[in-house]
Amino acid sequence: MRELSSSRGRRMRGAGTVALSLGICLCAGQLVGVSPASAAAAAPITAAAVSAKVKPVVTTKFSTRKVKYGAKVKVTAKYINPTNGKVVTSGTVRLQAYRKGKWVNQATKNLGKSGSVALTMAPKVSGYLRAVYAGSAKFTSLAGGKTYVSVTPKVSAASGNKIINEARKHVGSLYKFGAAGPSRFDCSGYTMYVYRKTTGKKLPHKANSQQKYGKAVAKGSKQIGDLVVFRNGSYGYHAGIYAGSGYMYDSPHTGARVSKRKMIGSNYVVRRLA
């Protein structure tokens, strides 16, 4: 009888295990429903339930934030696994530029053992750039922070030469306050006349107002034909046309004539109208 009872007990325990896994309970010879929560608690945890992806940490560096038209920008991005501090060595990184309301891919590279990539592009217009990690089996995708890169507008040699040729035509014209050509000029009247003739742009007859026209250009990026406005503080008091190599064409002051001469100071702004 003991052996029979023991065998029966083993069968009952086996049945109970099966019943529990099926969401039922065998009590006093009867099947009783077990709540789904209880059944779920008893179910084994699968590997998929604990394999959540990790969000990497990125460090992004830009070689420059101001470039001349046609020059390249290098963007370096490095990715770290925040759970252990090691570099991320798998996945693709894209360099994107924000153009006309959307992000556009410019360059693509795969991560290697260093966990970093260097991507380059030559932007033609100013705008935002960013590096985007596409993700992998272990890591989620990640868009890095956007950075604004300013591009100096291109001026064709033909445009610059056209402006300078017109400026040169009036060398020797006598200065006259309030005059705007064609034979006599004050400083802003001279620049106003030359740019209207060569570009069709209409500038106001005042140096301080002219510094707000066209596109701003860094001093180191000025080109032949650019407008230069000299300032006292932030007030523009004199205007001329850049002739290259530190020289300009201008109509200086009463008693002087239009000429090509050395630029008169370092406090000035450059505007591009071509």
Side-chain angles (χ1 to χ4, degrees):
M1 289 296 293
R2 286 195 302 273
E3 183 179 348
L4 182 59
S5 298
S6 176
S7 176
R8 181 184 177 191
R10 285 195 297 273
R11 289 197 300 272
M12 288 294 291
R13 285 194 297 275
T17 301
V18 173
L20 182 58
S21 67
L22 294 175
I24 58 176
C25 181
L26 185 63
C27 300
Q30 296 182 350
L31 294 176
V32 179
V34 178
S35 70
S38 299
I45 299 175
T46 64
V50 295
S51 61
K53 290 187 177 183
V54 176
K55 183 178 181 180
V57 175
V58 61
T59 301
T60 309
K61 294 181 180 180
F62 286 75
S63 61
T64 181
R65 288 174 172 76
K66 291 184 178 181
V67 294
K68 293 181 180 180
Y69 183 94
K72 291 184 178 180
V73 177
K74 182 170 75 171
V75 181
T76 305
K78 185 172 185 178
Y79 297 86
I80 301 293
N81 181 346
T83 64
N84 57 20
K86 295 183 178 180
V87 296
V88 177
T89 58
S90 62
T92 300
V93 182
R94 298 185 179 92
L95 176 60
Q96 296 184 333
Y98 194 70
R99 300 290 185 261
K100 297 180 179 181
K102 62 181 180 180
W103 289 102
V104 181
N105 293 334
Q106 303 294 322
T108 303
K109 278 190 179 180
N110 293 325
L111 284 173
K113 294 181 180 180
S114 66
S116 64
V117 292
L119 302 129
T120 60
M121 68 170 292
K124 295 181 179 180
V125 295
S126 300
Y128 287 101
L129 303 181
R130 72 178 184 180
V132 177
Y133 175 63
S136 67
K138 295 182 180 180
F139 299 97
T140 62
S141 59
L142 177 68
K146 61 184 182 180
T147 296
Y148 191 84
V149 175
S150 177
V151 179
T152 301
K154 180 181 180 181
V155 173
S156 68
S159 296
N161 288 335
K162 183 179 180 180
I163 294 168
I164 289 301
N165 288 337
E166 182 63 32
R168 191 181 294 117
K169 288 180 183 178
H170 304 284
V171 169
S173 296
L174 188 64
Y175 179 95
K176 182 180 179 181
F177 180 77
S183 59
R184 301 186 72 177
F185 307 90
D186 63 10
C187 71
S188 60
Y190 173 64
T191 53
M192 181 174 69
Y193 180 89
V194 171
Y195 285 111
R196 185 176 69 247
K197 288 278 288 185
T198 56
T199 70
K201 304 289 179 61
K202 295 181 179 180
L203 298 177
H205 196 170
K206 190 173 184 181
N208 186 55
S209 299
Q210 287 187 2
Q211 69 175 324
K212 300 173 185 177
Y213 281 70
K215 294 181 180 180
V217 175
K219 291 179 181 178
S221 300
K222 62 183 177 293
Q223 297 180 29
I224 290 173
D226 285 340
L227 171 69
V228 286
V229 178
F230 295 88
R231 309 198 298 177
N232 182 1
S234 61
Y235 182 81
Y237 68 88
H238 184 69
I241 299 169
Y242 187 61
S245 303
Y247 283 81
M248 67 176 178
Y249 284 99
D250 72 334
S251 183
H253 51 76
T254 300
R257 298 177 183 273
V258 171
S259 63
K260 179 182 178 180
R261 62 176 181 143
K262 278 281 189 181
M263 294 176 65
I264 58 176
S266 59
N267 182 13
Y268 63 89
V269 293
V270 183
R271 310 296 296 190
R272 186 154 295 162
L273 291 104

